[in-house]
Amino acid sequence: GKIAKRLPPSHTSSLYDVLTQVDYHLHTYTLLHFASKLGQAAEHKTKAFQILQILVERDNIFSEESFKADVTSSVITTLLNSTKDQMEGTATDFDPGEALQYFMEAGYQPNIVSLTSYLGTLSKTGQDKEALQLALLFEEEGVVLDLKGWQTILRASKATWKYDQITKAIDVGRDMNIPAINILS
């Protein structure tokens, strides 16, 4: 795991492939290190997602152990964070939405950082309307975004140049008790 953390993602991927080919059993935390490093690069996000799927099935990573759950949440946040350039620059079949849905069905309860990361990915990949709709859904379900999450939604709405989307984003901020100074700035 410590080697995986220090290598670039392409070398980490190769090392993981070698270890799985020789059927070497990797510890849960070692696999989390591999998934974390691979989740940083768009071309390796699919492999990182596959590693996390193995952990869900093999080790029940969303169990009561808080440290394991915290580390896993951090890795999932890294995996969900993508930019438009990353997604367009590589031929990848990784879908952050499907990954989040899979994890939630497996028992993962996303924290605000993970949700904000996913909203940012939607915004950065040109899915501004979906990001706003998801924020509205969060609001209906009682999930309160932090200031960064709301700013992500507002930034995405402003990028569309559509009055109704900007108004909805401001309304979301008002409903989430975002300070007026942040709304007006």
Side-chain angles (χ1 to χ4, degrees):
K2 291 181 181 187
I3 294 172
K5 284 176 63 173
R6 290 189 171 101
L7 292 174
S10 59
H11 292 144
T12 302
S13 178
S14 299
L15 177 61
Y16 177 75
D17 290 341
V18 168
L19 291 171
T20 55
Q21 285 177 0
V22 297
D23 204 25
Y24 188 81
H25 178 76
L26 297 171
H27 188 270
T28 302
Y29 294 114
T30 303
L31 287 172
L32 285 169
H33 285 299
F34 273 96
S36 178
K37 180 56 94 169
L38 295 173
Q40 295 173 7
E43 62 271 10
H44 300 294
K45 284 186 181 288
T46 301
K47 189 177 285 188
F49 179 52
Q50 291 167 349
I51 291 171
L52 289 171
Q53 286 175 314
I54 290 169
L55 289 173
V56 166
E57 294 168 13
R58 185 185 88 179
D59 296 343
N60 191 17
I61 55 176
F62 302 124
S63 67
E64 299 293 320
E65 293 181 40
S66 64
F67 179 70
K68 192 186 298 183
D70 290 344
V71 172
T72 303
S73 182
S74 174
V75 174
I76 290 172
T77 300
T78 300
L79 182 67
L80 295 177
N81 192 12
S82 299
T83 63
K84 187 173 186 176
D85 295 337
Q86 284 180 326
M87 299 310 278
E88 288 178 350
T90 60
T92 182
D93 58 350
F94 176 72
D95 181 8
E98 287 179 14
L100 182 59
Q101 180 179 352
Y102 171 82
F103 294 132
M104 290 178 73
E105 288 172 358
Y108 174 63
Q109 295 179 350
N111 58 23
I112 295 300
V113 177
S114 295
L115 293 174
T116 300
S117 179
Y118 181 60
L119 289 173
T121 295
L122 287 174
S123 300
K124 293 172 193 170
T125 57
Q127 300 174 25
D128 306 314
K129 193 171 188 175
E130 291 83 357
L132 182 59
Q133 289 173 343
L134 189 58
L136 291 170
L137 179 64
F138 291 161
E139 179 186 359
E140 288 174 11
E141 295 297 320
V143 176
V144 179
L145 293 175
D146 60 357
L147 179 61
K148 184 176 179 178
W150 177 75
Q151 287 173 334
T152 301
I153 296 302
L154 182 62
R155 203 173 306 116
S157 298
K158 289 189 321 188
T160 66
W161 290 91
K162 294 182 181 173
Y163 172 78
D164 59 329
Q165 278 199 244
I166 296 169
T167 305
K168 284 181 186 176
I170 291 171
D171 289 341
V172 168
R174 198 172 323 131
D175 292 342
M176 292 182 168
N177 295 325
I178 300 295
I181 187 119
N182 292 322
I183 292 174
L184 296 173
S185 70

